[in-house]
């Protein structure tokens, strides 16, 4: 989850850098925007994936504890 949050923050920073370079009329602002968008997307996917894994793990642990009490 930490890696995903770091990628989201890096993506936001690169997008802000791209917007800054675009307003300053620099020539190569596109690469910063592309890197920022990809990093943000990967970070978002990693956060969602880790949340899904946590929910699945808690469901498994709950199922195991219920099956142990029945026996």
């Amino acid at each position: 989850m930490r890696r995903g949050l770091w990628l989201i923050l890096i993506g936001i920073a690169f997008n802000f850098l791209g917007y800054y370079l675009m307003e300053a009329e620099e020539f190569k602002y596109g690469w910063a925007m592309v890197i920022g968008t990809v990093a943000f997307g990967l970070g978002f996917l990693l956060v969602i994936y880790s949340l899904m894994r946590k929910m699945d793990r808690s469901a498994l642990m709950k199922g195991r504890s219920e099956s142990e009490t029945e026996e």
Side-chain angles (χ1 to χ4, degrees):
M1 173 103 82
R2 288 183 192 157
R3 201 175 331 170
L5 292 175
W6 276 111
L7 279 173
I8 287 174
L9 292 176
I10 290 170
I12 290 171
F14 268 101
N15 278 330
F16 278 138
L17 176 67
Y19 281 122
Y20 173 76
L21 292 175
M22 185 174 22
E23 288 182 7
E25 297 180 5
E26 292 290 326
F27 184 69
K28 300 279 183 180
Y29 68 90
W31 287 107
M33 301 288 275
V34 169
I35 292 169
T37 303
V38 169
F40 184 84
L42 286 175
F44 183 77
L45 288 176
L46 280 174
V47 167
I48 295 297
Y49 177 68
S50 67
L51 289 175
M52 288 173 49
R53 285 186 59 206
K54 282 183 182 182
M55 289 181 355
D56 187 41
R57 184 177 189 281
S58 66
L60 284 173
M61 297 302 284
K62 185 178 178 182
R64 287 180 186 168
S65 68
E66 288 176 356
S67 67
E68 286 178 0
T69 57
E70 290 175 357
E71 294 175 4

